[in-house]
């Protein structure tokens, strides 16, 4: 079974955001595999170990994203592809077109991606990719089973669990709880440096700049107004609780 | 310039969710004389179409079919595209919910259109429509425009202002006949396990009572649930509580997990890791209950009580009951 995994390199979720000259500052930031994509990588490796085949990890992003792909290789993926040509960067529309062009050069049975990235959080690219490829998708999975060509996914739908079936080829997206991603072993890290990692450009993919022109533009990036610490209540605990409830009811008008 | 706007009604358990009305109100401000229509898709949903004229719809597209009983992307795509054909929208709104989040990118791709996800505000109109949306789960925000073609946006519940009063529009119902073929049913829902027992959904809850590592066990969530029941609130959790196995990951609030913006957020035994704060710090009023006076959660809380949640929360439940009586 050939499994493709789409991954994005993102800021570690413990990073604070600093804006400089209207842009988010990247200096000194710790980068990781987008946590939802990490579930995707882990799931792909487990399925490959169970069913045989090959796991290829694909990323569209700057040169630094190579580190995330190497981490995925160290976890156990077999091959990596990085689209680091700036001509391939744009919005979600662009990313889906680029991924579709890469995927079309690689035979696959299953595509796994995270359900969203923790940076942009738009949750569009994987679903757009499935639609570009004309294959079914099942999103936000907390459990995935593959039996022959039948795929059963347990989908997190706002707290409810939907059990959904489809037939390969299919694209699925990972939700938290799907698995517990492994840490790369020392042997894994050593092997990763020897595994194939190829880079692709606009012309390699037979795309024109016009085909992948983004449809959206960001006009401003800003931080929310800082939240100031409020009131730490004091006195007898029973009085604190009374004061709180009264404030919520009368001052804030959020209860009652 | 007049714009036609098409909305997907957001339905959960055969009921229209409030975000539908929030989207209708927004649609009426951006349409500038264009037509506002709403698509009601499902099975046995005909009773939901009444009143949508008052809520701001000129036209209501109804596709009532057994194939739409549960959401699946391809069947809903087919039904929604019928409404698109008839309405010829310039702008499409869906909720940033389990259905809208999944369907919008499908429709955007079909239409070769740009999409702005999870919007919390909009300004301007016509070709100058600008959306505000959180990035890094609300650690920062961007303003985004769609530069050409149709505009698709998914709307975060509980953020756009609802309409004041009735629009008094016609709400003319158009029944659309859709025949579903095998390729439209390429994914099938076999079973639904309802986990959110109280029925108050995190993403749309006005009040959330949330627990962290301080709850100490699955049982430790009981007093929080009791408080939530009295308040009509949803129960959430921090990553710490989920990782420790005290509750289901479906409850997790944070940069990984759900991002919420309720009117009232009560954090119990949550220290306030950056990744959790990202998911809830845009709540309107934040209450923190924690034993540790140095916990970072107090830095963003409007009201803080330093104390043991197992002592404070039951007292709070009693006091809230009195206040609501």
């Amino acid at each position: 079974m050939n499994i493709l995994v789409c991954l994005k390199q993102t800021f570690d979720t413990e990073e604070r955001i600093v804006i400089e000259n209207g842009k988010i500052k990247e200096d000194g930031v710790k980068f990781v595999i987008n946590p939802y994509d990490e579930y995707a990588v882990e799931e792909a490796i487990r399925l490959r170990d169970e069913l045989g085949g090959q796991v290829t990890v694909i990323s569209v992003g700057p040169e630094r994203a190579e580190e995330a792909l190497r981490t995925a290789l160290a976890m156990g993926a077999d091959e990596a592809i990085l689209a680091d040509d700036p001509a391939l960067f744009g919005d979600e529309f662009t990313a889906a077109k680029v991924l579709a062009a890469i995927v079309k050069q690689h035979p696959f049975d299953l595509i796994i991606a995270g359900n969203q990235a923790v940076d942009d959080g738009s949750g569009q690219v994987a679903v757009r990719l499935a639609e570009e490829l004309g294959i079914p998708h099942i999103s936000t999975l907390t459990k995935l089973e593959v039996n022959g060509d039948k795929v059963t996914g347990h989908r997190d739908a706002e707290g409810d669990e939907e059990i959904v079936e489809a037939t390969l080829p299919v694209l699925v997206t990972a939700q938290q709880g799907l698995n517990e991603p492994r840490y790369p072993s020392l042997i894994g890290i050593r092997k990763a440096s020897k595994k194939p990692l190829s880079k692709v450009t606009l012309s390699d993919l037979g795309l024109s700049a016009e085909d992948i022109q983004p449809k959206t533009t960001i006009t401003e990036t800003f931080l929310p107004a800082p939240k100031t610490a409020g009131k730490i209540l004091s006195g007898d605990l029973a009085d604190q609780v009374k004061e709180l409830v009264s404030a919520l009811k009368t001052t804030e008008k959020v209860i009652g | 310039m007049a714009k036609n706007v098409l909305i997907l009604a957001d339905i959960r358990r055969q009921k229209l969710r409030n975000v539908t009305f929030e989207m209708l109100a927004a649609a009426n401000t951006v349409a500038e004389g264009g037509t506002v229509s709403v698509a009601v898709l499902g099975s046995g949903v005909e009773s939901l179409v009444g009143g949508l004229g008052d809520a701001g719809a000129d036209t209501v597209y109804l596709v009532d079919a057994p194939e739409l009983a549960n959401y699946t992307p391809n069947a809903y795509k087919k039904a929604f595209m019928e409404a698109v054909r008839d309405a010829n929208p310039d702008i499409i709104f869906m909720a940033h919910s389990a259905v809208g989040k999944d369907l919008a990118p499908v429709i955007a791709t079909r239409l070769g259109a740009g999409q702005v996800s999870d919007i919390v505000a909009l300004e301007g109109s016509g070709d100058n429509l600008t959306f505000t949306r959180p990035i890094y789960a609300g650690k920062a925000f961007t303003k985004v425009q769609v530069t050409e073609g149709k505009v698709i946006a998914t709307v975060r519940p509980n953020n756009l202002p609802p309409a004041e009063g009735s629009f008094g529009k016609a709400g003319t119902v158009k029944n659309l006949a859709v025949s579903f073929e095998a390729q439209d049913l390429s994914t099938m829902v076999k079973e639904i396990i309802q986990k959110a027992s109280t029925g108050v959904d995190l993403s749309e809850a006005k009040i959330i009572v949330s627990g962290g590592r301080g709850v100490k066990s699955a049982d430790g969530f009981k007093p929080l649930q009791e408080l939530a029941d009295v308040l009509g609130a949803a129960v959430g959790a921090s990553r710490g509580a989920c990782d420790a196995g005290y509750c289901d990951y479906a409850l997790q609030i944070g940069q990984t997990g759900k991002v919420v913006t309720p009117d009232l957020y009560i954090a119990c035994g949550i220290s306030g890791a950056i990744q959790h704060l990202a998911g809830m710090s845009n709540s309107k009023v934040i209450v923190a209950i924690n034993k540790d006076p140095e916990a970072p959660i107090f830095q963003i809380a409007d009201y803080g009580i330093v104390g043991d949640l197992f002592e404070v929360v039951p007292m709070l439940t009693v006091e809230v009951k009195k206040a609501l009586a």
Side-chain angles (χ1 to χ4, degrees), chain A residues 101-123:
Chain A
I102 296 172
V103 167
K104 280 173 187 162
Q105 298 179 344
H106 294 264
F108 68 93
D109 304 292
L110 178 66
I111 302 175
I112 316 182
N115 82 81
Q116 60 177 349
V118 295
D119 49 10
D120 293 338
S122 70

Side-chain angles (χ1 to χ4, degrees), chain A residues 22 27 35 50 71 77 115 134 138 149 171 181 217 246 249:
Chain A
D27 300 353
E50 185 190 326
T71 304
N115 82 81
I138 318 173
D149 66 351
L171 180 148
T217 179
S246 147
K249 191 175 174 182

Side-chain angles (χ1 to χ4, degrees), chain A residues 155-162, chain B residues 8-20 40-45 48 68-71 76 95-100 157 192-205 234 250-251 258:
Chain A
R155 170 172 141 86
D156 167 27
E158 281 160 1
D160 290 344
E161 186 176 336
E162 292 177 0
Chain B
L8 174 66
D10 204 57
I11 300 167
R12 182 174 159 91
R13 297 188 182 157
Q14 303 292 83
K15 281 191 186 134
L16 286 175
R17 298 169 88 196
N18 284 334
V19 64
T20 306
V40 177
L41 314 182
S43 176
V45 291
L48 301 181
L68 301 176
N70 296 311
Y71 169 75
Y76 270 62
H96 198 69
S97 64
V99 172
I192 298 178
I193 303 161
Q194 294 195 350
K195 282 189 174 175
S197 53
T198 54
V200 186
D201 171 48
L202 268 180
S203 62
E204 216 179 27
L251 300 187
K258 302 202 165 55

